[in-house]
Amino acid sequence: MSAVAIIPAKGRSTGVPGKNKRLLAGKPLVLWSIEAAKASSVSEIIVSTDDEEIARIARKASVSVLYRPPELAKDDTPTEAVISHVLMTLRVAADTTVLLQPTSPLRMPYYINNMIALLDVAPFDSVLSVTPDRHFYWMGKANRASPMNYVPRQRPMRQDIVPLFRENGSIYAFRTKGYLEAHCRLFGKVGLYSMDHPWAGIEIDTENDFQLMDAAMHLFLGAKVPA
């Protein structure tokens, strides 16, 4: 199956100002996603942006750029609107579309490949990356709550808890034709792809997230994504 990767990267950001072009472990945040896509099996990479500096970073990395109009670069612009703009403006013909959000810099290229392959071999229309979670959860208010996934009198060992799966926002893959009908990244029969490393699903949404990720990558990863 042919696959195209879309990387949405606007210039402004409320949580972390200018985060997509801000240096993380020595390179712009958006570049981590571009490089992961380039090392994967996707045949084309398109960066959707409204920012000239981000466009310059993308072109220097030899990937395509599509400028989005101002109305698609607002804080409340849904990502689906950006995806639709790319697919319809460029008349993308690839069988599969992969969405890679810059806020997840530690995804591995093989994750991308595996999700594309999953759409090819399994009867799924869309697939999302998830992180398994075996914590104890409660629901309700502070003064009236109840456990969600265990019985306190029969407290299980943590490894015996049936995991919940957290949508980590790192990768979404879907059939292009189906998306153009649904205009939603998750449609039809949805499959889960569980990432085998917990750090791979970390998202950068706040200034604290950015600083912690930057420090961790310098300290533990040597500013390189592990193979």
Side-chain angles (χ1 to χ4, degrees):
M1 297 176 69
S2 58
V4 60
I6 296 176
I7 301 175
K10 64 180 181 179
R12 295 178 57 193
S13 173
T14 301
V16 185
K19 68 182 176 186
N20 289 323
K21 51 190 173 183
R22 182 171 165 182
L23 293 184
L24 176 74
K27 67 178 71 172
L29 179 62
V30 68
L31 189 55
W32 289 97
S33 292
I34 291 173
E35 291 181 347
K38 290 184 69 173
S40 75
S41 61
V42 301
S43 55
E44 184 178 7
I45 302 164
I46 302 163
V47 173
S48 168
T49 190
D50 63 325
D51 186 89
E52 185 54 45
E53 185 176 351
I54 292 174
R56 180 187 59 79
I57 293 167
R59 292 194 188 98
K60 187 175 180 180
S62 301
V63 299
S64 300
V65 173
L66 178 63
Y67 283 97
R68 66 176 82 168
E71 61 267 24
L72 293 183
K74 298 178 181 179
D75 289 340
D76 59 353
T77 298
T79 302
E80 270 72 8
V82 176
I83 298 169
S84 296
H85 176 250
V86 172
L87 295 180
M88 297 173 72
T89 300
L90 300 181
R91 299 182 181 275
V92 172
D95 300 306
T96 299
T97 298
V98 180
L99 173 65
L100 303 176
Q101 300 183 116
T103 46
S104 300
L106 290 182
R107 70 175 69 80
M108 297 293 95
Y110 73 84
Y111 290 143
I112 302 171
N113 295 342
N114 288 350
M115 288 182 67
I116 293 171
L118 192 57
L119 281 176
D120 192 21
V121 301
F124 296 127
D125 299 296
S126 51
V127 183
L128 69 151
S129 62
V130 296
T131 300
D133 191 331
R134 284 185 164 84
H135 289 85
F136 297 105
Y137 282 97
W138 289 69
M139 63 184 297
K141 298 180 180 180
N143 61 347
R144 188 175 182 180
S146 58
M148 287 178 58
N149 61 339
Y150 81 108
V151 178
R153 289 181 178 274
Q154 300 173 352
R155 194 179 188 92
M157 299 297 290
R158 191 160 165 178
Q159 63 269 23
D160 295 329
I161 293 177
V162 176
L164 297 173
F165 292 96
R166 177 177 60 83
E167 185 172 341
N168 59 37
S170 180
I171 310 172
Y172 299 88
F174 41 85
R175 301 184 188 280
T176 305
K177 183 178 179 181
Y179 177 88
L180 290 172
E181 297 172 355
H183 290 281
C184 178
R185 75 189 82 173
L186 299 174
F187 61 90
K189 188 169 184 180
V190 179
L192 303 181
Y193 177 77
S194 181
M195 290 183 161
D196 53 5
H197 294 292
W199 41 257
I202 296 175
E203 293 182 273
I204 296 176
D205 291 320
T206 67
E207 181 64 30
N208 283 342
D209 294 339
F210 202 104
Q211 292 186 17
L212 286 171
M213 179 70 79
D214 187 67
M217 291 174 75
H218 274 105
L219 182 61
F220 299 112
L221 307 180
K224 293 181 180 179
V225 174

